[in-house]
Amino acid sequence: MPLPHIGEISRPLAVAVLAAFAAVSHAAADETPQEQLRRTGMCERCDLRLSELRALSLDKAQLSRAVLREADLKEAVLPGADLRRADLRRTELERADLSGADFTGAQMRGVDLEKAILSGANLSEVDLRDADLIEARLDGARLDGSDLRGALMIRMDARGASFQSTKMDGANFERANLSGADLSGARMPNCDFDRVNAAGAYARDADFSGGHFSSADLSGADLSGANFQDALLRRTRLVGADLRGATGLDQSRMVGACGDESTKLPYGITLPVCDDLK
């Protein structure tokens, strides 16, 4: 019996392949943005507002310019995500892992980032007004030029983070760890610095006017040229700190503050040596 011609085999196969491809294309076309994101890890410019995406887990998700306003992403795992210029206003991101994510230019006013991991993330030029960053991890993160006015940063870990020229008026830093952080040129009037650890921080020319420091540790911090007008430094540790050129310091408002022989002070200001160094 003669063998069938190759065309007789390939034509039915080709038809089947085309049918399968058409079915897949049709299914993809019918996908919701949420389904597309879960399947491909990509949904740039998608409208995902109010979406239920709790515990979503994707590596390096592509979500630039996506609208995630008021979405539920609690406990999501999105390391390295691209969220540049995304709309994350009032989004639920409590306990989310966003380490290394890029949020440059994002809108994040009122976002909930309580206990979120943002280690090494880029949050430059981001609107974070009234954000909840309680116990969030921002070690090594960049927040240069961002707006954090009214943000809650209680017990936040921002060791080595950069806040250059950031606006943080009225923010709450109670018990936050800002050791080694770069706060140069940052605007922080009327902030709560109760028990903050800013040892070794670089805060040259920062605005601390009206700030409330209580039992704070500013050991070794560069505070030269900073503005302390009407600030209260109660029981604040200034061992080895550099306050040369700082303005607005009031001896009567440095109640219980202390330093050591290496503390550099503006003319007319004196400090006793800390009890543990006597």
Side-chain angles (χ1 to χ4, degrees):
M1 179 182 294
L3 292 173
H5 189 271
I6 187 66
E8 296 175 4
I9 299 175
S10 60
R11 184 176 180 182
L13 180 59
V15 170
V17 169
L18 288 171
F21 179 77
V24 170
S25 298
H26 181 72
D30 288 343
E31 277 185 329
T32 65
Q34 294 85 348
E35 290 169 339
Q36 177 188 330
L37 176 61
R38 292 181 186 278
R39 181 176 63 84
T40 68
M42 301 174 64
C43 209
E44 297 178 354
R45 298 177 182 268
C46 287
D47 190 342
L48 293 158
R49 72 187 72 199
L50 298 172
S51 294
E52 292 290 329
L53 296 167
R54 184 170 291 206
L56 176 70
S57 183
L58 294 168
D59 188 37
K60 298 181 178 179
Q62 301 298 304
L63 286 159
S64 63
R65 297 181 183 271
V67 179
L68 287 151
R69 191 170 183 173
E70 296 184 282
D72 186 353
L73 282 155
K74 184 175 181 179
E75 297 178 347
V77 181
L78 300 168
D82 181 357
L83 287 152
R84 290 173 296 170
R85 301 190 180 282
D87 184 349
L88 291 151
R89 285 174 287 180
R90 300 184 66 83
T91 301
E92 171 64 73
L93 285 161
E94 183 180 346
R95 293 190 176 89
D97 182 355
L98 297 156
S99 51
D102 189 351
F103 294 89
T104 306
Q107 299 178 63
M108 301 178 72
R109 185 169 188 173
V111 68
D112 184 355
L113 286 162
E114 183 177 352
K115 297 181 181 178
I117 301 172
L118 293 150
S119 304
N122 187 351
L123 292 139
S124 301
E125 306 293 337
V126 172
D127 182 356
L128 281 156
R129 284 174 291 172
D130 305 316
D132 182 350
L133 287 157
I134 296 174
E135 292 189 46
R137 281 184 52 190
L138 287 110
D139 46 303
R142 291 169 53 197
L143 297 100
D144 303 330
S146 290
D147 191 342
L148 283 147
R149 285 177 289 176
L152 294 176
M153 294 182 269
I154 300 166
R155 294 185 295 277
M156 173 185 70
D157 182 357
R159 289 172 291 176
S162 181
F163 295 87
Q164 292 185 42
S165 302
T166 300
K167 292 183 286 188
M168 295 181 276
D169 311 42
N172 191 335
F173 289 92
E174 183 180 348
R175 297 178 186 268
N177 189 342
L178 295 167
S179 56
D182 187 348
L183 298 156
S184 55
R187 199 174 85 189
M188 295 175 280
N190 305 311
C191 288
D192 185 349
F193 295 102
D194 186 20
R195 298 182 184 276
V196 72
N197 176 8
Y202 184 82
R204 182 172 292 182
D205 299 322
D207 181 2
F208 294 108
S209 59
H212 186 276
F213 293 83
S214 180
S215 300
D217 187 357
L218 301 176
S219 300
D222 184 349
L223 303 161
S224 55
N227 178 10
F228 286 93
Q229 187 69 43
D230 297 322
L232 174 66
L233 281 74
R234 187 185 298 275
R235 295 185 299 278
T236 295
R237 188 178 180 87
L238 292 159
V239 174
D242 185 352
L243 290 118
R244 288 176 295 184
T247 60
L249 282 171
D250 184 340
Q251 188 80 57
S252 68
R253 297 182 65 79
M254 300 179 76
V255 185
C258 65
D260 68 353
E261 67 280 355
S262 66
T263 303
K264 299 176 178 65
L265 298 165
Y267 178 78
I269 300 293
T270 60
L271 286 176
V273 175
C274 295
D275 289 341
D276 62 317
L277 298 177
K278 292 179 180 178

